[in-house]
Amino acid sequence: EAGVVQSPRYKIIEKKQPVAFWCNPISGHNTLYWYLQNLGQGPELLIRYENEEAVDDSQLPKDRFSAERLKGVDSTLKIQPAELGDSAVYLCASSFGQETDTQYFGPGTRLTVL
Amino acid sequence: GESVGLHLPTLSVQEGDNSIINCAYSNSASDYFIWYKQESGKGPQFIIDIRSNMDKRQGQRVTVLLNKTVKHLSLQIAATQPGDSAVYFCAENRGEREKLTFGTGTRLTIIP
């Protein structure tokens, strides 16, 4: 069974440019998560979807970050405009959606903002 | 504020020895804990979990111990192998459905 797929794996952009990350969760997983991971730190939740509904976006910086999961499967996370401090790894995870279901993570997208 | 934290940022263990990675948490409302392993360039990988109504849970070569009295969690890895070298994170569910709070992580290095 395929795991969580993310693309691109690496992205280098100039500050003030837009960037988008794509995630395809494990088939059948209703819940999708986007996390931010800074170097040497644990992942921090940005947004959680249950199907196509964003049920927890309290940690998403909405002035520059946006996300969508239009058909309840794939998801896109966008930053516009990117800032130097946005350099990090952006992780996508998915789960079946029960309270203690295991969250399965993708490999992440490493973003470098110059 | 309350947080999940780790006692040691790095740990080196001889191959074949046992390793213990510790984690302290401060939220008494947390009822579910998970250990993840993250290798370089990869996403975190689930290792083992434990609910707050348990003190111990065993998996293949791994054991998680939970001491609610002192709010302490540990991961024991038996007979360590080179492939165990990674960063290990503990995470907790603080009663908010499906929301995990991760600690900083401990880098485990297995010495051949």
Side-chain angles (χ1 to χ4, degrees), chain A residues 9 33 37 40 50 97 100 103, chain B residues 32 36 38 41 97-98 104:
Chain A
R9 291 296 315 279
Y33 314 76
Q37 185 174 28
E50 288 184 7
T100 57
Q103 294 184 25
Chain B
Y32 179 60
Y36 279 90
Q38 188 172 25
R97 183 170 177 267
E98 299 183 63
T104 303

Side-chain angles (χ1 to χ4, degrees), chain A residues 9 31 33 35 37 40-43 45 48 50 56 58-59 91 95 97-100 102-103 105-107, chain B residues 31-32 34 36 38 41-46 49 51 89 93 95-105:
Chain A
R9 291 296 315 279
T31 304
Y33 314 76
Y35 286 87
Q37 185 174 28
Q41 302 294 316
L45 181 68
R48 173 167 66 91
E50 288 184 7
D56 184 356
S58 58
Q59 302 303 310
L91 293 163
S95 71
Q98 299 303 309
E99 184 172 339
T100 57
T102 300
Q103 294 184 25
F105 284 82
Chain B
D31 58 4
Y32 179 60
I34 311 100
Y36 279 90
Q38 188 172 25
K42 297 183 180 180
Q45 176 187 2
F46 173 88
D49 59 1
R51 285 189 169 275
F89 293 97
N93 180 308
E96 299 177 65
R97 183 170 177 267
E98 299 183 63
K99 184 168 184 175
L100 295 178
T101 301
F102 285 78
T104 303

Side-chain angles (χ1 to χ4, degrees), chain B residues 32-86:
Chain B
Y32 179 60
F33 304 87
I34 311 100
W35 281 99
Y36 279 90
K37 171 187 180 183
Q38 188 172 25
E39 297 175 89
S40 181
K42 297 183 180 180
Q45 176 187 2
F46 173 88
I47 301 173
I48 193 168
D49 59 1
I50 189 168
R51 285 189 169 275
S52 59
N53 61 353
M54 301 172 68
D55 297 322
K56 179 180 179 179
R57 191 169 187 210
Q58 290 183 292
Q60 186 177 10
R61 288 201 303 118
V62 295
T63 301
V64 56
L65 299 177
L66 176 62
N67 186 329
K68 295 180 286 295
T69 302
V70 295
K71 297 187 181 68
H72 183 268
L73 190 69
S74 69
L75 176 70
Q76 300 177 2
I77 305 175
T80 53
Q81 303 169 357
D84 294 331
S85 293

Side-chain angles (χ1 to χ4, degrees), chain A residues 71-100:
Chain A
K71 296 183 178 179
V73 181
D74 295 0
S75 178
T76 303
L77 177 69
K78 299 178 181 178
I79 308 175
Q80 183 171 11
E83 297 179 352
L84 295 176
D86 295 332
S87 295
V89 175
Y90 292 83
L91 293 163
C92 179
S94 69
S95 71
F96 280 112
Q98 299 303 309
E99 184 172 339
T100 57

